[in-house]
Amino acid sequence: MKNIFTLVAVLFLLNSCASQSNTVNTKSEVTAQKPLEVATDQGTKLVVGIVVDQMRYDYLTRFNSKYGEGGFKRLINEGFNCKNNHFNYVPTYTGPGHASIYTGTTPKYHGIIGNNFYNKEIKEMVYCAQDDNVTSVGTEDKAGMMSPNRMQTTTFGDENRLFTQMQGKTIGVSLKDRGAILPAGHTANAAYWFHGKKEGVWISSSFYMNELPQWVKDFNSSEAAQSYLKVWNTLYDISTYTESGADENNFEGGFKGKETATFPYDLKTLSETNRGFDILKATPYGNSLTTDFAMAAVAAENLGQDEITDVLAVSFSATDYVGHNFGVNSKEIEDTYIRLDKDLERFFNYLDATVGKGEYTVFLTADHGAIDVPSYLQSVNVPAGYVDNYSRKKTFNAFLTETYGTTDIVENISNNQVFIDRAKVKALGLNLIDVQNAIAMEQLSYKNVSKVYTATTLSSAGFTNGVEALLQNGFNQKRSGDVILVNDTAFIAYGKTGSTHGSALNYDTHVPLLFFGNGIKHGETLEKTVIPDIAPTISALLGISFPNGATGSVLGFVID
C-alpha cells in the first residue's frame, strides 16, 4: 500500500494546494473579488465533525483496553465526554441521524424521515438524497444523482458559509452518499462518496461541480482502493479479543464465497462474488480509505489554513456495514473498532501537523446504535425475536377487505408506518380519523406490536417523555404516515444474522458524544444530552447563527 502521507504530499505539490480545484465558491475565488477579514469567536480554523455509523456508546467502554492513546482515548482524556447522549426521536436510521446531527433538529422539522420513505405527493418510495435533476460526476453510473434537496433546514456548515460570505469551505466525505451529502448541507463546496462495484472511485454530483477536481482524479488514479483488497485478519491475536463472542457462531452473515464467517478473509478473491470494490465497505479498510481521502481533502483544499473557519464532515460508514453483516458481538466488529481507533489517531496526528494543535475543533458521535442479534439474545434467555411481516400483512389485508371492501384504502406500508389513500377514503364516504383509529386498533391486536399511534394523535398531543415523545419528534406532518407502529422490545424485521437499528430503545438511541480541541473544556458529564444539541453548540462556539430549524440547546458546559 502506498504511504498515504506520501500520496497527500504528492497531491499537494501537483495541485499547488488545490489552486486547480473545480469546487464551486472556493475561498481563493471569493477572496480575489474582495478580501474579507472574518474570524470566529474562538479562533477555530477547522471544525471536523465525525460520525461513526452504528456506534453504540458501550463500544467506547467495552473495547477501551484495546484502544491506543491517540484515538478515542485522546478525545476522552483531552476533551469532553457526554456519557448520557441520546437520540430524541425515531426512526434511528442513517439519513435522519446525519441530518439531525448537523441541523440541530429532528425529522419533524428537517424532513428526512428515513433513508427511503414514501412520498405521498407522487405516491412512490424515494431515497433521502435522491435528485433526478442532477447528474453523476466521476462515474457514468447513476450513483452520483444525489443532493440535499429533500432536507428542509440548514446545517451549521451552511450557517458558517453564510456568516463568512461563502469564504469558509464545507466539504463532506463518506463511503455513503447520504453520510457525505446531508452533513455538508445546501451550500457546501463539495460532497464526495465512494462508488464501488468495478470502479472503486470517489464521486460527486453536478449539484456541487461539473467535473471532479484534479486532486480527486489523482486520488482515484493512485490505486488507494485497490491496495485495500488484501487479507483481512485480526490486528492482534484473536485469542485476546475477549470482549466479543466466538469467531464461529450462528449469528453472523459473512461473505458470499466463504463457507464460514470466520477470520481471515481474502478480500481480493472474495471481491469477485461480493460486488467488487463494495466489499471494502463491510471491512475496516473502508474506514481507512475514508481517512486517506479526508486527509487528501485537507491538503488539497487548504482546509484550516487561515483564520476563516472551514468545516469538514467525515462519516465512517464501514462500521455500519460490518455491524449489519456480523452483529454487535462479533470479533469482526471488535477488530473494526480497534482499527478505526488507529485511523483516528492517524487523522488527528495529520491535523496536528497541517492545521496545528489547538487550532481545530472535533466532535465525534454516531447516527444510531444497534441491537444485539435477537437470535443470540434468545440463546441466552433474553426476550427477543423477529417480526413476521408476511403473516401480519396477510391478516391486515383480510381486515381491510372485510371492513372496507378493498385493500386499496392503504397506499403503502413502510418504516413501521401505514399510509392511507385519502381519495379512496373520501370516495367511500368515510371519515379519515375513524379509519386511522380502526387501523390502529387492528394493528395493535397483532403479535409483537406493542404500541400504535395515529397521525391525528401525534399532531395534536404534547408528549414530553417515553417512546411517544420520540415518535412525535420523528413525525413530519407532510411526509409521515397515518398510523405509526412500535414493535415489541428487541423484536425486529430482519434476517436471523447480523444487527440492525431504528427503534426508540436505548440500544439504538445511546451513542457517544465527544468534543475535543479549540474552545472545548476537559471533562465529562452524565447529564442527559440529545443529538440536536450538537449543531447549536458548534454554532455558539463559532459565534455564528444557529441552523434555521434548530431545536437543540447549547451545551455551554463543554465550551471553554
Side-chain angles (χ1 to χ4, degrees), residues 186-214:
H186 302 278
T187 63
N189 299 79
Y192 301 105
W193 52 98
F194 185 69
H195 177 55
K197 297 183 180 180
K198 295 181 179 180
E199 297 183 61
V201 293
W202 292 86
I203 66 171
S204 192
S205 155
S206 62
F207 179 83
Y208 307 99
M209 63 194 76
N210 295 319
E211 184 180 358
L212 290 178
Q214 188 60 46

PDB file of all heavy atoms in Angstrom, residues 186-214:
ATOM      1  N   HIS A 186     -26.640  22.496   2.199  1.00  0.00           N
ATOM      2  CA  HIS A 186     -27.097  23.016   0.907  1.00  0.00           C
ATOM      3  C   HIS A 186     -26.071  23.888   0.201  1.00  0.00           C
ATOM      4  O   HIS A 186     -26.123  24.033  -1.023  1.00  0.00           O
ATOM      5  CB  HIS A 186     -28.385  23.822   1.107  1.00  0.00           C
ATOM      6  CG  HIS A 186     -29.497  23.039   1.732  1.00  0.00           C
ATOM      7  ND1 HIS A 186     -30.321  22.203   1.018  1.00  0.00           N
ATOM      8  CD2 HIS A 186     -29.909  22.953   3.025  1.00  0.00           C
ATOM      9  CE1 HIS A 186     -31.196  21.642   1.836  1.00  0.00           C
ATOM     10  NE2 HIS A 186     -30.980  22.081   3.059  1.00  0.00           N
ATOM     11  N   THR A 187     -25.178  24.506   0.939  1.00  0.00           N
ATOM     12  CA  THR A 187     -24.235  25.457   0.340  1.00  0.00           C
ATOM     13  C   THR A 187     -22.827  24.895   0.241  1.00  0.00           C
ATOM     14  O   THR A 187     -21.886  25.636  -0.043  1.00  0.00           O
ATOM     15  CB  THR A 187     -24.191  26.756   1.169  1.00  0.00           C
ATOM     16  OG1 THR A 187     -23.701  26.443   2.485  1.00  0.00           O
ATOM     17  CG2 THR A 187     -25.557  27.401   1.282  1.00  0.00           C
ATOM     18  N   ALA A 188     -22.663  23.617   0.461  1.00  0.00           N
ATOM     19  CA  ALA A 188     -21.327  23.018   0.532  1.00  0.00           C
ATOM     20  C   ALA A 188     -20.542  23.211  -0.758  1.00  0.00           C
ATOM     21  O   ALA A 188     -21.104  23.225  -1.858  1.00  0.00           O
ATOM     22  CB  ALA A 188     -21.439  21.527   0.843  1.00  0.00           C
ATOM     23  N   ASN A 189     -19.242  23.315  -0.606  1.00  0.00           N
ATOM     24  CA  ASN A 189     -18.358  23.345  -1.770  1.00  0.00           C
ATOM     25  C   ASN A 189     -18.360  22.005  -2.482  1.00  0.00           C
ATOM     26  O   ASN A 189     -18.287  21.938  -3.713  1.00  0.00           O
ATOM     27  CB  ASN A 189     -16.927  23.688  -1.355  1.00  0.00           C
ATOM     28  CG  ASN A 189     -16.825  25.047  -0.701  1.00  0.00           C
ATOM     29  OD1 ASN A 189     -17.142  25.192   0.468  1.00  0.00           O
ATOM     30  ND2 ASN A 189     -16.409  26.053  -1.469  1.00  0.00           N
ATOM     31  N   ALA A 190     -18.434  20.929  -1.675  1.00  0.00           N
ATOM     32  CA  ALA A 190     -18.406  19.597  -2.272  1.00  0.00           C
ATOM     33  C   ALA A 190     -18.835  18.552  -1.266  1.00  0.00           C
ATOM     34  O   ALA A 190     -18.713  18.744  -0.054  1.00  0.00           O
ATOM     35  CB  ALA A 190     -16.995  19.265  -2.785  1.00  0.00           C
ATOM     36  N   ALA A 191     -19.339  17.453  -1.781  1.00  0.00           N
ATOM     37  CA  ALA A 191     -19.547  16.230  -1.008  1.00  0.00           C
ATOM     38  C   ALA A 191     -19.045  15.096  -1.881  1.00  0.00           C
ATOM     39  O   ALA A 191     -19.297  15.071  -3.094  1.00  0.00           O
ATOM     40  CB  ALA A 191     -21.013  16.034  -0.646  1.00  0.00           C
ATOM     41  N   TYR A 192     -18.324  14.165  -1.278  1.00  0.00           N
ATOM     42  CA  TYR A 192     -17.735  13.048  -2.012  1.00  0.00           C
ATOM     43  C   TYR A 192     -18.115  11.740  -1.330  1.00  0.00           C
ATOM     44  O   TYR A 192     -18.083  11.643  -0.099  1.00  0.00           O
ATOM     45  CB  TYR A 192     -16.211  13.164  -2.064  1.00  0.00           C
ATOM     46  CG  TYR A 192     -15.706  14.426  -2.727  1.00  0.00           C
ATOM     47  CD1 TYR A 192     -15.189  15.471  -1.967  1.00  0.00           C
ATOM     48  CD2 TYR A 192     -15.739  14.568  -4.119  1.00  0.00           C
ATOM     49  CE1 TYR A 192     -14.708  16.629  -2.570  1.00  0.00           C
ATOM     50  CE2 TYR A 192     -15.270  15.731  -4.732  1.00  0.00           C
ATOM     51  CZ  TYR A 192     -14.763  16.758  -3.946  1.00  0.00           C
ATOM     52  OH  TYR A 192     -14.300  17.907  -4.548  1.00  0.00           O
ATOM     53  N   TRP A 193     -18.447  10.746  -2.137  1.00  0.00           N
ATOM     54  CA  TRP A 193     -18.750   9.430  -1.599  1.00  0.00           C
ATOM     55  C   TRP A 193     -18.125   8.372  -2.509  1.00  0.00           C
ATOM     56  O   TRP A 193     -17.703   8.643  -3.631  1.00  0.00           O
ATOM     57  CB  TRP A 193     -20.253   9.223  -1.446  1.00  0.00           C
ATOM     58  CG  TRP A 193     -21.096   9.498  -2.658  1.00  0.00           C
ATOM     59  CD1 TRP A 193     -21.578   8.608  -3.566  1.00  0.00           C
ATOM     60  CD2 TRP A 193     -21.584  10.788  -3.086  1.00  0.00           C
ATOM     61  NE1 TRP A 193     -22.323   9.242  -4.529  1.00  0.00           N
ATOM     62  CE2 TRP A 193     -22.347  10.569  -4.256  1.00  0.00           C
ATOM     63  CE3 TRP A 193     -21.455  12.095  -2.591  1.00  0.00           C
ATOM     64  CZ2 TRP A 193     -22.975  11.618  -4.945  1.00  0.00           C
ATOM     65  CZ3 TRP A 193     -22.078  13.131  -3.274  1.00  0.00           C
ATOM     66  CH2 TRP A 193     -22.828  12.896  -4.430  1.00  0.00           C
ATOM     67  N   PHE A 194     -18.057   7.145  -1.975  1.00  0.00           N
ATOM     68  CA  PHE A 194     -17.324   6.077  -2.649  1.00  0.00           C
ATOM     69  C   PHE A 194     -18.257   5.241  -3.508  1.00  0.00           C
ATOM     70  O   PHE A 194     -19.276   4.740  -3.033  1.00  0.00           O
ATOM     71  CB  PHE A 194     -16.634   5.186  -1.611  1.00  0.00           C
ATOM     72  CG  PHE A 194     -15.743   4.123  -2.204  1.00  0.00           C
ATOM     73  CD1 PHE A 194     -14.562   4.469  -2.836  1.00  0.00           C
ATOM     74  CD2 PHE A 194     -16.084   2.782  -2.101  1.00  0.00           C
ATOM     75  CE1 PHE A 194     -13.736   3.491  -3.377  1.00  0.00           C
ATOM     76  CE2 PHE A 194     -15.261   1.800  -2.634  1.00  0.00           C
ATOM     77  CZ  PHE A 194     -14.088   2.148  -3.273  1.00  0.00           C
ATOM     78  N   HIS A 195     -17.892   5.085  -4.762  1.00  0.00           N
ATOM     79  CA  HIS A 195     -18.634   4.228  -5.687  1.00  0.00           C
ATOM     80  C   HIS A 195     -17.797   2.980  -5.937  1.00  0.00           C
ATOM     81  O   HIS A 195     -16.705   3.050  -6.498  1.00  0.00           O
ATOM     82  CB  HIS A 195     -18.898   4.972  -6.999  1.00  0.00           C
ATOM     83  CG  HIS A 195     -19.589   4.136  -8.035  1.00  0.00           C
ATOM     84  ND1 HIS A 195     -20.790   3.496  -7.789  1.00  0.00           N
ATOM     85  CD2 HIS A 195     -19.247   3.813  -9.312  1.00  0.00           C
ATOM     86  CE1 HIS A 195     -21.157   2.841  -8.873  1.00  0.00           C
ATOM     87  NE2 HIS A 195     -20.241   3.011  -9.800  1.00  0.00           N
ATOM     88  N   GLY A 196     -18.309   1.838  -5.475  1.00  0.00           N
ATOM     89  CA  GLY A 196     -17.541   0.596  -5.533  1.00  0.00           C
ATOM     90  C   GLY A 196     -17.717  -0.146  -6.843  1.00  0.00           C
ATOM     91  O   GLY A 196     -17.276   0.286  -7.895  1.00  0.00           O
ATOM     92  N   LYS A 197     -18.364  -1.292  -6.748  1.00  0.00           N
ATOM     93  CA  LYS A 197     -18.569  -2.178  -7.904  1.00  0.00           C
ATOM     94  C   LYS A 197     -17.239  -2.430  -8.613  1.00  0.00           C
ATOM     95  O   LYS A 197     -16.271  -2.816  -7.981  1.00  0.00           O
ATOM     96  CB  LYS A 197     -19.626  -1.597  -8.836  1.00  0.00           C
ATOM     97  CG  LYS A 197     -21.000  -1.474  -8.199  1.00  0.00           C
ATOM     98  CD  LYS A 197     -22.044  -0.952  -9.183  1.00  0.00           C
ATOM     99  CE  LYS A 197     -23.408  -0.840  -8.536  1.00  0.00           C
ATOM    100  NZ  LYS A 197     -24.448  -0.325  -9.465  1.00  0.00           N
ATOM    101  N   LYS A 198     -17.183  -2.181  -9.917  1.00  0.00           N
ATOM    102  CA  LYS A 198     -15.942  -2.431 -10.666  1.00  0.00           C
ATOM    103  C   LYS A 198     -15.036  -1.206 -10.726  1.00  0.00           C
ATOM    104  O   LYS A 198     -13.920  -1.280 -11.249  1.00  0.00           O
ATOM    105  CB  LYS A 198     -16.277  -2.871 -12.098  1.00  0.00           C
ATOM    106  CG  LYS A 198     -16.991  -4.212 -12.182  1.00  0.00           C
ATOM    107  CD  LYS A 198     -17.252  -4.588 -13.628  1.00  0.00           C
ATOM    108  CE  LYS A 198     -17.956  -5.944 -13.719  1.00  0.00           C
ATOM    109  NZ  LYS A 198     -18.220  -6.323 -15.141  1.00  0.00           N
ATOM    110  N   GLU A 199     -15.509  -0.061 -10.176  1.00  0.00           N
ATOM    111  CA  GLU A 199     -14.757   1.184 -10.339  1.00  0.00           C
ATOM    112  C   GLU A 199     -13.868   1.528  -9.148  1.00  0.00           C
ATOM    113  O   GLU A 199     -12.702   1.869  -9.316  1.00  0.00           O
ATOM    114  CB  GLU A 199     -15.732   2.329 -10.631  1.00  0.00           C
ATOM    115  CG  GLU A 199     -16.490   2.152 -11.937  1.00  0.00           C
ATOM    116  CD  GLU A 199     -17.393   3.334 -12.244  1.00  0.00           C
ATOM    117  OE1 GLU A 199     -16.873   4.457 -12.392  1.00  0.00           O
ATOM    118  OE2 GLU A 199     -18.626   3.131 -12.313  1.00  0.00           O
ATOM    119  N   GLY A 200     -14.421   1.510  -7.938  1.00  0.00           N
ATOM    120  CA  GLY A 200     -13.620   1.819  -6.757  1.00  0.00           C
ATOM    121  C   GLY A 200     -13.101   3.249  -6.753  1.00  0.00           C
ATOM    122  O   GLY A 200     -11.911   3.491  -6.533  1.00  0.00           O
ATOM    123  N   VAL A 201     -14.014   4.234  -6.960  1.00  0.00           N
ATOM    124  CA  VAL A 201     -13.607   5.633  -7.056  1.00  0.00           C
ATOM    125  C   VAL A 201     -14.492   6.513  -6.173  1.00  0.00           C
ATOM    126  O   VAL A 201     -15.606   6.146  -5.813  1.00  0.00           O
ATOM    127  CB  VAL A 201     -13.686   6.139  -8.516  1.00  0.00           C
ATOM    128  CG1 VAL A 201     -12.654   5.428  -9.374  1.00  0.00           C
ATOM    129  CG2 VAL A 201     -15.097   5.948  -9.092  1.00  0.00           C
ATOM    130  N   TRP A 202     -13.974   7.685  -5.860  1.00  0.00           N
ATOM    131  CA  TRP A 202     -14.736   8.700  -5.132  1.00  0.00           C
ATOM    132  C   TRP A 202     -15.435   9.579  -6.158  1.00  0.00           C
ATOM    133  O   TRP A 202     -14.813  10.044  -7.119  1.00  0.00           O
ATOM    134  CB  TRP A 202     -13.826   9.523  -4.233  1.00  0.00           C
ATOM    135  CG  TRP A 202     -13.289   8.716  -3.100  1.00  0.00           C
ATOM    136  CD1 TRP A 202     -12.181   7.925  -3.106  1.00  0.00           C
ATOM    137  CD2 TRP A 202     -13.872   8.590  -1.796  1.00  0.00           C
ATOM    138  NE1 TRP A 202     -12.032   7.301  -1.883  1.00  0.00           N
ATOM    139  CE2 TRP A 202     -13.048   7.699  -1.057  1.00  0.00           C
ATOM    140  CE3 TRP A 202     -14.986   9.145  -1.175  1.00  0.00           C
ATOM    141  CZ2 TRP A 202     -13.321   7.354   0.268  1.00  0.00           C
ATOM    142  CZ3 TRP A 202     -15.266   8.810   0.135  1.00  0.00           C
ATOM    143  CH2 TRP A 202     -14.438   7.922   0.849  1.00  0.00           C
ATOM    144  N   ILE A 203     -16.728   9.807  -5.953  1.00  0.00           N
ATOM    145  CA  ILE A 203     -17.523  10.536  -6.933  1.00  0.00           C
ATOM    146  C   ILE A 203     -18.277  11.676  -6.259  1.00  0.00           C
ATOM    147  O   ILE A 203     -18.253  11.836  -5.042  1.00  0.00           O
ATOM    148  CB  ILE A 203     -18.514   9.602  -7.649  1.00  0.00           C
ATOM    149  CG1 ILE A 203     -19.570   9.073  -6.662  1.00  0.00           C
ATOM    150  CG2 ILE A 203     -17.780   8.457  -8.338  1.00  0.00           C
ATOM    151  CD1 ILE A 203     -20.719   8.313  -7.328  1.00  0.00           C
ATOM    152  N   SER A 204     -18.968  12.462  -7.082  1.00  0.00           N
ATOM    153  CA  SER A 204     -19.783  13.556  -6.568  1.00  0.00           C
ATOM    154  C   SER A 204     -20.973  13.757  -7.499  1.00  0.00           C
ATOM    155  O   SER A 204     -21.351  12.855  -8.252  1.00  0.00           O
ATOM    156  CB  SER A 204     -18.955  14.843  -6.422  1.00  0.00           C
ATOM    157  OG  SER A 204     -19.673  15.814  -5.681  1.00  0.00           O
ATOM    158  N   SER A 205     -21.542  14.961  -7.456  1.00  0.00           N
ATOM    159  CA  SER A 205     -22.768  15.264  -8.174  1.00  0.00           C
ATOM    160  C   SER A 205     -22.658  16.635  -8.830  1.00  0.00           C
ATOM    161  O   SER A 205     -21.921  17.510  -8.364  1.00  0.00           O
ATOM    162  CB  SER A 205     -23.930  15.250  -7.173  1.00  0.00           C
ATOM    163  OG  SER A 205     -25.010  16.040  -7.597  1.00  0.00           O
ATOM    164  N   SER A 206     -23.416  16.839  -9.912  1.00  0.00           N
ATOM    165  CA  SER A 206     -23.419  18.144 -10.574  1.00  0.00           C
ATOM    166  C   SER A 206     -24.070  19.214  -9.702  1.00  0.00           C
ATOM    167  O   SER A 206     -23.998  20.397 -10.032  1.00  0.00           O
ATOM    168  CB  SER A 206     -24.154  18.055 -11.912  1.00  0.00           C
ATOM    169  OG  SER A 206     -25.509  17.686 -11.720  1.00  0.00           O
ATOM    170  N   PHE A 207     -24.682  18.829  -8.596  1.00  0.00           N
ATOM    171  CA  PHE A 207     -25.165  19.818  -7.632  1.00  0.00           C
ATOM    172  C   PHE A 207     -24.005  20.655  -7.115  1.00  0.00           C
ATOM    173  O   PHE A 207     -24.176  21.842  -6.797  1.00  0.00           O
ATOM    174  CB  PHE A 207     -25.854  19.103  -6.468  1.00  0.00           C
ATOM    175  CG  PHE A 207     -26.371  20.028  -5.394  1.00  0.00           C
ATOM    176  CD1 PHE A 207     -27.598  20.652  -5.534  1.00  0.00           C
ATOM    177  CD2 PHE A 207     -25.633  20.283  -4.250  1.00  0.00           C
ATOM    178  CE1 PHE A 207     -28.084  21.508  -4.555  1.00  0.00           C
ATOM    179  CE2 PHE A 207     -26.101  21.137  -3.260  1.00  0.00           C
ATOM    180  CZ  PHE A 207     -27.325  21.754  -3.418  1.00  0.00           C
ATOM    181  N   TYR A 208     -22.813  20.056  -7.033  1.00  0.00           N
ATOM    182  CA  TYR A 208     -21.641  20.734  -6.487  1.00  0.00           C
ATOM    183  C   TYR A 208     -20.659  21.196  -7.561  1.00  0.00           C
ATOM    184  O   TYR A 208     -19.982  22.215  -7.390  1.00  0.00           O
ATOM    185  CB  TYR A 208     -20.886  19.796  -5.536  1.00  0.00           C
ATOM    186  CG  TYR A 208     -21.734  19.197  -4.456  1.00  0.00           C
ATOM    187  CD1 TYR A 208     -22.242  17.903  -4.590  1.00  0.00           C
ATOM    188  CD2 TYR A 208     -22.055  19.909  -3.309  1.00  0.00           C
ATOM    189  CE1 TYR A 208     -23.030  17.340  -3.596  1.00  0.00           C
ATOM    190  CE2 TYR A 208     -22.841  19.360  -2.313  1.00  0.00           C
ATOM    191  CZ  TYR A 208     -23.331  18.076  -2.464  1.00  0.00           C
ATOM    192  OH  TYR A 208     -24.117  17.516  -1.495  1.00  0.00           O
ATOM    193  N   MET A 209     -20.544  20.453  -8.648  1.00  0.00           N
ATOM    194  CA  MET A 209     -19.477  20.716  -9.619  1.00  0.00           C
ATOM    195  C   MET A 209     -19.815  20.032 -10.934  1.00  0.00           C
ATOM    196  O   MET A 209     -20.678  19.156 -10.984  1.00  0.00           O
ATOM    197  CB  MET A 209     -18.149  20.175  -9.087  1.00  0.00           C
ATOM    198  CG  MET A 209     -18.148  18.664  -8.889  1.00  0.00           C
ATOM    199  SD  MET A 209     -16.773  18.038  -7.899  1.00  0.00           S
ATOM    200  CE  MET A 209     -17.301  18.520  -6.251  1.00  0.00           C
ATOM    201  N   ASN A 210     -19.119  20.431 -11.973  1.00  0.00           N
ATOM    202  CA  ASN A 210     -19.298  19.806 -13.280  1.00  0.00           C
ATOM    203  C   ASN A 210     -18.235  18.756 -13.566  1.00  0.00           C
ATOM    204  O   ASN A 210     -18.409  17.918 -14.452  1.00  0.00           O
ATOM    205  CB  ASN A 210     -19.278  20.871 -14.383  1.00  0.00           C
ATOM    206  CG  ASN A 210     -20.449  21.835 -14.274  1.00  0.00           C
ATOM    207  OD1 ASN A 210     -21.574  21.428 -13.985  1.00  0.00           O
ATOM    208  ND2 ASN A 210     -20.190  23.119 -14.484  1.00  0.00           N
ATOM    209  N   GLU A 211     -17.152  18.833 -12.810  1.00  0.00           N
ATOM    210  CA  GLU A 211     -16.037  17.901 -13.018  1.00  0.00           C
ATOM    211  C   GLU A 211     -15.307  17.729 -11.698  1.00  0.00           C
ATOM    212  O   GLU A 211     -15.231  18.673 -10.899  1.00  0.00           O
ATOM    213  CB  GLU A 211     -15.084  18.465 -14.077  1.00  0.00           C
ATOM    214  CG  GLU A 211     -13.944  17.544 -14.442  1.00  0.00           C
ATOM    215  CD  GLU A 211     -13.041  18.178 -15.503  1.00  0.00           C
ATOM    216  OE1 GLU A 211     -13.340  19.309 -15.951  1.00  0.00           O
ATOM    217  OE2 GLU A 211     -12.041  17.533 -15.868  1.00  0.00           O
ATOM    218  N   LEU A 212     -14.788  16.533 -11.463  1.00  0.00           N
ATOM    219  CA  LEU A 212     -14.016  16.314 -10.245  1.00  0.00           C
ATOM    220  C   LEU A 212     -12.768  17.183 -10.240  1.00  0.00           C
ATOM    221  O   LEU A 212     -12.126  17.351 -11.278  1.00  0.00           O
ATOM    222  CB  LEU A 212     -13.593  14.847 -10.128  1.00  0.00           C
ATOM    223  CG  LEU A 212     -14.676  13.805  -9.849  1.00  0.00           C
ATOM    224  CD1 LEU A 212     -14.050  12.410  -9.825  1.00  0.00           C
ATOM    225  CD2 LEU A 212     -15.401  14.084  -8.536  1.00  0.00           C
ATOM    226  N   PRO A 213     -12.389  17.745  -9.098  1.00  0.00           N
ATOM    227  CA  PRO A 213     -11.111  18.463  -9.007  1.00  0.00           C
ATOM    228  C   PRO A 213      -9.958  17.525  -9.367  1.00  0.00           C
ATOM    229  O   PRO A 213     -10.066  16.300  -9.207  1.00  0.00           O
ATOM    230  CB  PRO A 213     -11.036  18.887  -7.539  1.00  0.00           C
ATOM    231  CG  PRO A 213     -12.440  18.837  -7.053  1.00  0.00           C
ATOM    232  CD  PRO A 213     -13.114  17.744  -7.818  1.00  0.00           C
ATOM    233  N   GLN A 214      -8.862  18.091  -9.780  1.00  0.00           N
ATOM    234  CA  GLN A 214      -7.722  17.276 -10.198  1.00  0.00           C
ATOM    235  C   GLN A 214      -7.212  16.402  -9.068  1.00  0.00           C
ATOM    236  O   GLN A 214      -6.804  15.260  -9.276  1.00  0.00           O
ATOM    237  CB  GLN A 214      -6.590  18.167 -10.724  1.00  0.00           C
ATOM    238  CG  GLN A 214      -5.445  17.389 -11.365  1.00  0.00           C
ATOM    239  CD  GLN A 214      -5.909  16.570 -12.557  1.00  0.00           C
ATOM    240  OE1 GLN A 214      -6.648  17.068 -13.428  1.00  0.00           O
ATOM    241  NE2 GLN A 214      -5.504  15.301 -12.607  1.00  0.00           N
TER     242      GLN A 214
END
